[in-house]
Amino acid sequence: MVMMLISFLFTAFCIFLQGTVFQAVSLAGVVPNISLAAVLCFAYQRGHRFGLILGFLTGLLMDLLYSTVIGLDALIFMTMGVLIFIIERIEFKNPLYFSLVAIGGGNLIYSLLYYVFHFLLRGKMALGNYFLNIILPATRTVCPSRVSKLSLIS
């Protein structure tokens, strides 16, 4: 219970940073989703149930602060907290590969699920435009440092 509280406070701090400080230093107009990265890291360390609860609480906090639809981020973050359990079962030779797949892939899946629930269900079908202008830059803001580390090590 104490670890859950500490983890939630840390992800709440990440949400605060993401909404304030990182808005000023956005890359290509996209702010990295560090709260998702924090949820994925805690879910990997503590297990899928911990990730499920932390993902729900973090997503709900993001919904209350920034969203017009309550529950959308909570559902997506909760799903990401459980998906890390599935990705964890795949064996990687290098732990950096796992972090690249988990954080980059998690950001990609988050963006796609957000598109489906927020835009596609309302009839807005510009997936190509959304992918090129939102999803791809958001995923690239998370992955470049990881890719350069992998190329130096491998």
Side-chain angles (χ1 to χ4, degrees):
M1 188 66 179
V2 173
M3 189 61 190
M4 177 62 73
L5 181 63
I6 292 169
S7 303
F8 180 69
L9 290 175
F10 180 77
T11 55
F13 181 69
C14 289
I15 292 171
F16 170 73
L17 285 177
Q18 186 175 326
T20 56
V21 176
F22 286 171
Q23 294 292 328
V25 293
S26 63
L27 301 171
V30 178
V31 177
N33 196 347
I34 61 168
S35 56
L36 178 64
V39 167
L40 292 174
C41 289
F42 282 121
Y44 175 67
Q45 290 176 344
R46 298 286 175 186
H48 67 284
R49 288 185 186 165
F50 190 89
L52 178 96
I53 295 168
L54 184 64
F56 177 75
L57 293 174
T58 304
L60 190 61
L61 182 62
M62 283 189 67
D63 283 334
L64 292 174
L65 293 175
Y66 302 119
S67 183
T68 57
V69 179
I70 302 297
L72 179 61
D73 279 328
L75 175 69
I76 296 173
F77 271 69
M78 191 170 60
T79 305
M80 294 287 97
V82 173
L83 281 180
I84 197 72
F85 177 71
I86 296 169
I87 296 173
E88 178 185 10
R89 292 183 174 216
I90 301 170
E91 293 193 25
F92 293 93
K93 294 178 183 176
N94 189 343
L96 288 174
Y97 289 137
F98 177 76
S99 65
L100 176 68
V101 170
I103 307 242
N107 200 357
L108 180 70
I109 292 170
Y110 170 81
S111 298
L112 286 172
L113 286 174
Y114 194 85
Y115 169 78
V116 167
F117 289 124
H118 200 261
F119 295 109
L120 189 64
L121 292 178
R122 293 190 305 164
K124 297 183 179 180
M125 304 218 182
L127 177 62
N129 185 29
Y130 188 78
F131 186 80
L132 290 175
N133 294 325
I134 305 293
I135 295 175
L136 195 59
T139 304
R140 290 183 68 190
T141 58
V142 175
C143 293
S145 61
R146 305 255 185 235
V147 172
S148 63
K149 288 179 186 175
L150 286 176
S151 62
L152 291 174
I153 293 172
S154 297

